[in-house]
Amino acid sequence: VLGFDGAHAARIVQDVNDTERIVQLLRDLQKDGRVCVVAKHLCGSATDALLRALVLSSVDAAFVAPCCHSKIKAWDGYCNAKFLADRGFACHEWPMLIKLLAVSRLPLDTTGDPAA
């Protein structure tokens, strides 16, 4: 990475649901220069929680590899429940939506064989 020597990297292990703490940590880092966040395997709603913190902190760049929203056990644990509700989904349908998500990851059968 251009201009990166490894000496100026900070690894932070923090609960991403503590938005205020994450925002404060990122703002503190910004005092010393530009900040690029790299995050991977943010399971369930952790991706959404980190994105909220990143928006509030105005970091220079972010590379985020989300993981599995299917691990969100309850409707109220999903950060964008309003988006789903605005499209006619209700909280009691959350288990069905998660099952559909799991099915969508199955390999596609292109043979037409019902036994496949």
Side-chain angles (χ1 to χ4, degrees):
V1 177
L2 183 63
F4 180 73
D5 61 11
H8 296 92
R11 181 169 190 237
I12 298 171
V13 178
Q14 177 70 40
D15 178 2
V16 293
N17 287 309
D18 188 352
T19 304
E20 289 181 31
R21 179 72 179 131
I22 294 290
V23 169
Q24 189 58 53
L25 286 168
L26 293 171
R27 287 182 178 161
D28 289 346
L29 288 169
Q30 287 173 311
K31 293 175 186 173
D32 294 330
R34 299 175 69 190
V35 173
C36 173
V37 173
V38 178
K40 66 177 193 164
H41 273 292
L42 295 169
C43 291
S45 61
T47 299
D48 305 313
L50 178 66
L51 291 175
R52 275 193 297 275
L54 292 176
V55 167
L56 293 171
S57 63
S58 302
V59 297
D60 297 291
F63 298 92
V64 180
C67 190
C68 27
H69 272 77
S70 61
K71 290 188 177 182
I72 303 173
K73 300 297 181 200
W75 172 271
D76 59 357
Y78 179 57
C79 78
N80 215 358
K82 182 179 178 336
F83 174 84
L84 294 175
D86 289 348
R87 281 145 187 85
F89 291 99
C91 64
H92 70 273
E93 295 174 298
W94 183 254
M96 180 262 316
L97 292 170
I98 292 303
K99 287 177 185 171
L100 286 173
L101 181 61
V103 169
S104 72
R105 294 184 185 142
L106 294 175
L108 179 63
D109 173 29
T110 57
T111 67
D113 180 1

